[in-house]
Amino acid sequence: MSLYSILLWILPTLISAQQPQYPPAFPPTPILPSSINYAPSVTPSVLDSSAPDAQKQCPGYQASNVVETTNGLTADLAIAGKPCNVYGNDIQDLALSVQYQSKDRLAVRIHPRYLAPNNQSLYILSEHLTPLPKVENASSKADSDLRFTWTNNPSFQFRVSRVTSGEILFDTYGSVVVFEDQFLELATSMVPDYNIYGLAENFHSFRLGNNYTQTFWNAYNLDNDQEFDVNGHSTHPMYLETRYGNGSSSSHGVYARNAHGQDWLLRSERLTYRTIGGSFDFYFINGPTPKNVISQYQTGIVRTPVMQPYWALGFHQVRWSYQNWTRIPLDLQDVIDAYAAGGIQLEGIWNDLDYLKMNRDFTLSPHYPEDEGQEFLRKLHAAGQYYMPILDPNIYVPDPTNASDAYSTYDRGVELNAFIRNGNNSYYYGVEWPGFSVWPDFNVPEGQQFWTEQFIEFQKTIQFDGFWLDVSDPTSWCTGSCGQGQLPLNPIHVPFPLPGDPNTDLAVDYRYPEAFNVTNATEAASASAAMASQMSMYPTPTVTPTPTAGRTLPTPGIRNLTFPPYAINNFLPGHSLLRQVIAPNATHNDGPYNSTEYELHNLYGHTSANATYNALAATFPGKRPFFIARSTFAGSGNFTGHWGKKLLRKLKINISANHLVGGDSNSKWGNMYYGITQALQFSIAGIPYFGVETCGFNGNADMELCTRWMQLSAWYPLYRNHNNRNTIAQEAYRWATTAEATRRVMNIRYSLLPYQYTLFYYANQAGSTVLRALAWEFPDDPQLRGVETQFMLGPSLLITPVLVPLVTTVQGVFPGVASGTRWYDWYSLQEIQAAPGENKTLSAPLEHINIHVKGGSIIPMQKAGNTTSASRKNPWSLLVALDKNGAATGSLYLDDGISLVQNATKIVQFKYSNGTLSAKASGSYNDGIPLANITIAGIKTRPTSVTITSNGSKRNSRNVTLNRKDDALYASNIQGATSGGAWRGNLVVRFK
């Protein structure tokens, strides 16, 4: 009897439509030994008690030849004593540049004085990789609200302060500047109990705290992706700091433009910045509000987020294990039909690796035949839906001894010399999903040409609408360039078991969320027994210990790229920079620089995403490219979105207290909880198009968790359900309760698409945020500084999700009530009565998520259709929520939703006061859709009639009906008075 049969016999409750779903068997291939992925271990310097303290051993620098200008100063910095050479070779002569780049931005740069092509890329981050801010509009010191001061006593130190308040924002006094070829260090004194946010990507509380180390070395951990408090898939070395006092607050930002491996040490009195290369390239952002900081960072430094196509805001479904286009079981069409039968919107269907021929990019599996796929996609597109397959930026290397293993994609890359090299004329051969692979070099034009050509050719085979760019960290599951001499083994299996692999303890995943043993006791006991049986039959092999590399010492004239003297706190097993990545000594093709992965590792996801955007733009001329990227860097939001991955943490749940303490695997309550903090991090980072693996990727979701998660994720811009192939199915229609809750919340989401799309417009134009922390909307309330269980969508909607199991209530705060802010329940439109600072208990039955509307808001809506395109054809409605003065404002942005350059757009500004609603329109875009309904919450008067004027002409309003319930007024049947397009001109509606 097979393992699968045994396990199903043990666990009969899983023999259903939701049992683990396996793709067609991968052809028999050799399995690489696990030892190929071993790497020597190192001790991170922050954990090494014997590591030298650069602040105590290094002499710092002395400034001379200071030249002041109207917009800054320059100076020479010379080492102030005997070189310390603690973690590298001291650079003895440096150059300082200070620029007042705008009223609210100051740049401080320190780099080696003598640079040449052969060392340029070691220290200077090229402008073609990520934006390099410059002086704006003849800015000057006299106009700036930031001030740079410095001293040479006892060595060069500097401060950045705010002119208007005198507040010191960044203060290196009392510390030394350390600048070596493989180690830089700079420390700033911090105010007591400081509040820092950002430094994405991390899995941590929203407020980072004062005893935390943030490491930047983009990584993918097979065993535990990702752990708490460790480096993740992205590098965004920027933080926002907020300080409270005397009933107000002030915020500022700091961005360190450096892509090397880094440690940021947040300690009680000091923040220490360390990096293993590059230069000091700091940008100080004035604020003084949190939203100002975020906007100034995006508009002035990394550029604003890309404008997503309208359909990107729909709901998307993917699973690793959909086996074919239309032939049951487990085909894409079956999933699409099931969503339709369940009355649940579905915008896009996505494919994981299953559609590829043996995981090779730009191919089709025999189970996904081309002719069947083209017909499937023709019908999908006719229904207004979209298709996004996975894409990994690595290219399979065919067996050179087997002519039948030919792979034209690889051959074309060789012709263009488009792949990263192994420090010589050979290519760097690592291991990825298809076997031994190479990686496109997106740092040179040939890499872009190769990528674009493949997109255009593959579109002729399968009419995809976008991609999701996975494993772009970049990851390789072997140490060094391991393929030389072994390419005839291809295709090979990666050197570890995959989920669903037979005869492994990953054959079936039996993990369930917290409290499953309470709600499903019999199934939980069966799952526990089955898991124990599976693991006893196929125990996890013992990992062979790897040798430990002692701390390396600096060698004059030599940089140790694989084991630098300073070891960053890389969380991967063994902590080495070699672990599960393209090795740091791999070389790019950008002669004369010959940059290495040591400099560019954290940029690979960024450059591959930029290349993907350009390739999609060439494939779909005139249309906005759509894709999401796994690995990002500062500025990636200008062309891509991002999804949160698999947070795992050893945590516990306190059910009775209605308070989350955590969860311990992917389909767990703790994972859902920390998705909120991730989303807020990426709002700071300038990547608002963010979402998570709804219902979890690893482990089995249950009905309650998936229901609550579908409700929560409905408020993330990226709304996508995705899970693993060795777990039960978790599409939203699988449980009746989940389906009903999803229908309710998704109808709300789709009705609010115009509001959310408008938020993206302002993000693109002005660096505004889409998802917002309460502390950003109400910046003067210190009680909100750590709130991470609630958030806002734009300025108007407050979301209070349930984040723990077995409860039917949730607690939330209502900010601003002390100063008169009004809040209304979304469903009843009744005003909430809450005391200032009260953590109010709200009813939250399983099919309900709490939504509240802020007084003073006007929200444009359209009735939800089954797709975004159908929704856009429905009549308009307006929700007016009055503030304490009986007034409200709002806005609406309109365009065609898909063109890269618009032929016509429209902005509508709404205002309500004294019984009059006005809509002032500018722009030539007209959708021809009337306004059908206006709802006013919090109204005290009782109007009995309505007059409607459009462009100065009175319209027939005899059919308009007015109904009142409590303090809400409902005006309907307005469409006759607004035919031809509600916003084709200025509109005035008077209630008397």
Side-chain angles (χ1 to χ4, degrees):
M1 183 179 290
S2 70
L3 169 65
Y4 185 57
S5 299
I6 294 171
L7 295 175
L8 290 182
W9 176 74
I10 295 172
L11 191 55
T13 54
L14 287 181
I15 306 177
S16 68
Q18 289 179 265
Q19 70 190 32
Q21 303 177 6
Y22 295 95
F26 199 83
T29 60
I31 298 177
L32 285 170
S34 58
S35 59
I36 200 170
N37 199 27
Y38 295 162
S41 299
V42 299
T43 301
S45 297
V46 295
L47 303 178
D48 184 358
S49 60
S50 66
D53 185 346
Q55 287 297 312
K56 294 180 179 179
Q57 297 191 22
C58 296
Y61 291 81
Q62 286 284 316
S64 62
N65 301 323
V66 178
V67 177
E68 295 206 36
T69 65
T70 57
N71 70 343
L73 64 85
T74 60
D76 295 333
L77 299 179
I79 199 163
K82 181 180 178 181
C84 56
N85 300 327
V86 288
Y87 296 111
N89 301 292
D90 284 74
I91 307 298
Q92 300 198 25
D93 296 299
L94 305 175
L96 167 70
S97 170
V98 177
Q99 289 183 333
Y100 293 91
Q101 295 188 333
S102 73
K103 179 180 182 297
D104 295 306
R105 187 175 72 251
L106 171 70
V108 178
R109 298 170 181 155
I110 302 174
H111 58 79
R113 195 185 312 171
Y114 306 111
L115 292 171
N118 65 342
N119 71 351
Q120 182 89 11
S121 67
L122 310 185
Y123 300 105
I124 303 299
L125 181 54
S126 173
E127 185 175 6
H128 90 271
L129 294 172
T130 192
L132 177 65
K134 296 179 174 64
V135 174
E136 298 177 4
N137 301 323
S139 297
S140 68
K141 177 179 178 180
D143 297 328
S144 177
D145 193 34
L146 297 174
R147 187 70 73 240
F148 176 88
T149 55
W150 64 279
T151 181
N152 262 341
N153 185 21
S155 65
F156 173 74
Q157 302 155 59
F158 69 90
R159 285 175 175 157
V160 175
S161 58
R162 187 177 279 126
V163 174
T164 50
S165 65
E167 185 179 17
I168 298 173
L169 309 182
F170 197 85
D171 184 6
T172 73
Y173 279 42
S175 63
V176 298
V177 173
V178 182
F179 202 122
E180 299 175 341
D181 59 356
Q182 290 194 269
F183 179 74
L184 286 73
E185 180 176 280
L186 195 121
T188 176
S189 299
M190 304 297 290
V191 299
D193 196 28
Y194 55 86
N195 306 290
I196 277 185
Y197 311 87
L199 295 178
E201 181 173 24
N202 57 69
F203 299 98
H204 189 81
S205 298
F206 173 52
R207 176 178 175 266
L208 295 181
N210 311 146
N211 185 23
Y212 172 65
T213 299
Q214 173 65 54
T215 299
F216 288 127
W217 184 256
N218 295 348
Y220 174 14
N221 185 9
L222 289 165
D223 302 323
N224 200 1
D225 181 27
Q226 294 285 344
E227 295 178 2
F228 199 74
D229 290 357
V230 300
N231 44 304
H233 297 290
S234 298
T235 294
H236 293 271
M238 180 270 182
Y239 70 78
L240 180 158
E241 182 182 356
T242 298
R243 300 175 183 176
Y244 297 94
N246 300 320
S248 63
S249 72
S250 65
S251 296
H252 64 275
V254 178
Y255 168 51
R257 188 177 177 274
N258 189 311
H260 283 75
Q262 301 168 33
D263 281 339
W264 292 68
L265 282 61
L266 281 65
R267 301 297 185 262
S268 60
E269 297 179 352
R270 178 167 295 194
L271 185 155
T272 302
Y273 167 71
R274 296 171 177 171
T275 174
I276 57 174
S279 296
F280 293 119
D281 194 0
F282 284 102
Y283 297 83
F284 301 95
I285 306 164
N286 184 43
T289 70
K291 291 193 292 186
N292 290 153
V293 171
I294 296 169
S295 175
Q296 290 161 10
Y297 174 62
Q298 295 177 36
T299 57
I301 297 179
V302 295
R303 302 188 185 131
T304 57
V306 65
M307 192 67 184
Q308 296 290 341
Y310 200 93
W311 60 265
L313 301 179
F315 172 70
H316 303 269
Q317 177 65 50
V318 62
R319 178 166 187 193
W320 186 13
S321 76
Y322 293 151
Q323 296 183 19
N324 50 67
W325 301 111
T326 59
R327 290 166 291 146
I328 59 174
L330 311 179
D331 62 277
L332 298 180
Q333 190 62 56
D334 184 48
V335 174
I336 294 168
D337 293 343
Y339 269 105
I344 302 172
Q345 287 91 344
L346 179 66
E347 193 74 15
I349 191 77
W350 300 31
N351 256 135
D352 210 310
L353 294 167
D354 312 284
Y355 81 101
L356 296 170
K357 178 183 178 181
M358 300 179 72
N359 299 335
R360 303 174 191 181
D361 282 354
F362 310 112
T363 66
L364 286 178
S365 163
H367 300 277
Y368 280 84
E370 179 180 339
D371 56 347
E372 185 180 318
Q374 291 183 346
E375 176 60 17
F376 165 82
L377 292 170
R378 185 191 65 77
K379 293 180 179 178
L380 184 80
H381 291 146
Q385 295 170 306
Y386 298 86
Y387 173 64
M388 275 70 61
I390 197 171
L391 182 69
D392 294 332
N394 62 82
I395 303 299
Y396 173 78
V397 181
D399 174 3
T401 66
N402 182 1
S404 66
D405 196 36
Y407 183 36
S408 61
T409 296
Y410 171 79
D411 295 339
R412 179 55 177 156
V414 171
E415 290 176 6
L416 293 171
N417 193 28
F419 302 132
I420 291 173
R421 295 181 288 115
N422 186 35
N424 50 43
N425 290 327
S426 67
Y427 290 127
Y428 185 97
Y429 300 113
V431 171
E432 252 285 1
W433 298 128
F436 290 115
S437 303
V438 290
W439 281 261
D441 183 358
F442 297 112
N443 204 33
V444 295
E446 292 81 3
Q448 179 69 74
Q449 179 183 349
F450 164 76
W451 207 234
T452 300
E453 287 179 359
Q454 302 310 307
F455 276 50
I456 293 173
E457 286 302 309
F458 193 52
Q459 174 66 15
K460 297 174 183 176
T461 301
I462 289 297
Q463 290 70 53
F464 58 85
D465 298 293
F467 280 112
W468 51 300
L469 192 66
D470 199 14
V471 196
S472 56
D473 299 283
T475 295
S476 173
W477 289 299
C478 71
T479 299
S481 183
C482 58
Q484 282 85 352
Q486 300 195 74
L487 296 180
L489 293 176
N490 256 348
I492 51 89
H493 189 289
V494 291
F496 49 83
L498 293 174
D501 277 1
N503 303 332
T504 73
D505 61 358
L506 295 179
V508 179
D509 193 332
Y510 291 107
R511 293 172 296 170
Y512 280 86
E514 306 88 345
F516 184 73
N517 62 320
V518 177
T519 58
N520 298 268
T522 301
E523 293 89 341
S526 297
S528 179
M531 181 166 61
S533 176
Q534 178 175 258
M535 295 187 70
S536 66
M537 287 187 290
Y538 303 103
T540 302
T542 302
V543 176
T544 302
T546 57
T548 299
R551 188 171 66 84
T552 57
L553 298 177
T555 302
I558 297 176
R559 297 165 69 246
N560 192 328
L561 301 184
T562 52
F563 296 100
Y566 182 85
I568 62 172
N569 193 28
N570 180 19
F571 82 106
L572 290 176
H575 311 291
S576 167
L577 297 186
L578 282 171
R579 182 68 174 176
Q580 291 180 185
V581 296
I582 300 177
N585 61 356
T587 306
H588 288 255
N589 299 304
D590 57 343
Y593 305 116
N594 292 317
S595 301
T596 66
E597 276 296 290
Y598 185 87
E599 295 95 60
L600 299 179
H601 168 81
N602 286 336
L603 285 161
Y604 194 81
H606 178 79
T607 56
S608 60
N610 188 36
T612 299
Y613 179 91
N614 294 334
L616 287 169
T619 304
F620 303 104
K623 292 185 178 181
R624 295 172 186 163
F626 173 76
F627 74 105
I628 56 175
R630 180 173 197 154
S631 179
T632 63
F633 186 76
S636 292
N638 189 239
F639 40 77
T640 188
H642 178 66
W643 80 101
K645 288 296 289 183
K646 315 173 189 70
L647 164 64
L648 302 173
R649 188 190 181 194
K650 298 295 183 183
L651 301 167
K652 298 179 180 178
I653 285 285
N654 182 343
I655 297 171
S656 61
N658 190 21
H659 174 70
L660 178 105
V661 186
D664 62 5
S665 78
N666 196 244
S667 284
K668 293 294 180 80
W669 293 85
N671 296 83
M672 181 172 69
Y673 179 103
Y674 282 105
I676 297 173
T677 69
Q678 276 188 279
L680 296 176
Q681 282 177 31
F682 279 92
S683 290
I684 297 172
I687 305 183
Y689 191 72
F690 175 89
V692 299
E693 313 276 36
T694 301
C695 300
F697 182 78
N698 289 319
N700 301 292
D702 65 5
M703 179 274 293
E704 186 180 8
L705 173 65
C706 200
T707 299
R708 295 299 194 188
W709 212 332
M710 288 296 295
Q711 292 171 337
L712 169 60
S713 286
W715 302 97
Y716 297 146
L718 169 61
Y719 191 13
R720 187 180 78 149
N721 184 311
H722 182 208
N723 69 310
N724 212 335
R725 62 179 179 175
N726 66 342
T727 64
I728 66 171
Q730 64 182 38
E731 292 88 357
Y733 53 77
R734 295 289 180 177
W735 298 276
T737 300
T738 306
E740 176 58 24
T742 300
R743 279 189 291 270
R744 294 183 187 182
V745 74
M746 207 177 287
N747 280 334
I748 297 172
R749 176 190 174 94
Y750 271 65
S751 71
L752 287 166
L753 288 174
Y755 172 73
Q756 191 176 54
Y757 189 69
T758 299
L759 293 175
F760 268 90
Y761 169 75
Y762 287 118
N764 173 261
Q765 293 295 303
S768 298
T769 50
V770 178
L771 292 187
R772 303 180 181 182
L774 272 60
W776 304 345
E777 287 298 299
F778 300 88
D780 295 333
D781 185 350
Q783 295 185 58
L784 302 177
R785 67 176 185 163
V787 172
E788 57 191 9
T789 56
Q790 295 174 276
F791 60 94
M792 294 187 69
L793 177 63
S796 302
L797 296 174
L798 173 64
I799 314 301
T800 308
V802 171
L803 300 170
V804 294
L806 306 180
V807 299
T808 57
T809 62
V810 65
Q811 291 184 317
V813 298
F814 290 89
V817 293
S819 57
T821 300
R822 302 174 75 183
W823 293 97
Y824 302 89
D825 180 87
W826 169 270
Y827 305 94
S828 69
L829 296 183
Q830 294 305 294
E831 186 173 355
I832 297 299
Q833 302 302 317
E838 177 187 2
N839 204 13
K840 190 176 180 66
T841 298
L842 306 169
S843 177
L846 189 53
E847 294 172 342
H848 179 85
I849 183 170
N850 276 276
I851 311 162
H852 292 89
V853 185
K854 182 184 174 186
S857 304
I858 298 180
I859 302 175
M861 298 186 293
Q862 289 174 287
K863 183 179 179 180
N866 61 339
T867 62
T868 59
S869 60
S871 298
R872 294 195 72 177
K873 298 173 183 177
N874 289 331
W876 289 100
S877 62
L878 294 175
L879 173 59
V880 182
L882 301 182
D883 65 13
K884 63 182 180 181
N885 299 314
T889 59
S891 62
L892 171 66
Y893 170 74
L894 293 169
D895 64 17
D896 69 14
I898 198 167
S899 296
L900 193 59
V901 178
Q902 292 293 326
N903 291 324
T905 64
K906 179 156 286 181
I907 291 285
V908 185
Q909 300 291 349
F910 302 107
K911 182 178 180 180
Y912 179 93
S913 64
N914 299 320
T916 299
L917 172 69
S918 63
K920 184 177 181 181
S922 59
S924 59
Y925 182 86
N926 184 31
D927 59 11
I929 297 173
L931 172 67
N933 304 291
I934 299 172
T935 301
I936 305 175
I939 191 169
K940 300 301 182 183
T941 60
R942 294 182 176 272
T944 58
S945 65
V946 177
T947 59
I948 299 175
T949 304
S950 179
N951 278 343
S953 299
K954 190 173 181 180
R955 306 297 294 269
N956 183 353
S957 58
R958 287 177 297 179
N959 293 327
V960 176
T961 60
L962 296 178
N963 292 292
R964 184 184 176 94
K965 182 179 179 182
D966 299 323
D967 288 339
L969 177 71
Y970 301 86
S972 55
N973 296 324
I974 303 174
Q975 56 266 36
T978 57
S979 60
W983 325 124
R984 61 179 178 175
N986 296 332
L987 180 71
V988 178
V989 182
R990 291 186 174 90
F991 297 90
K992 297 180 180 179

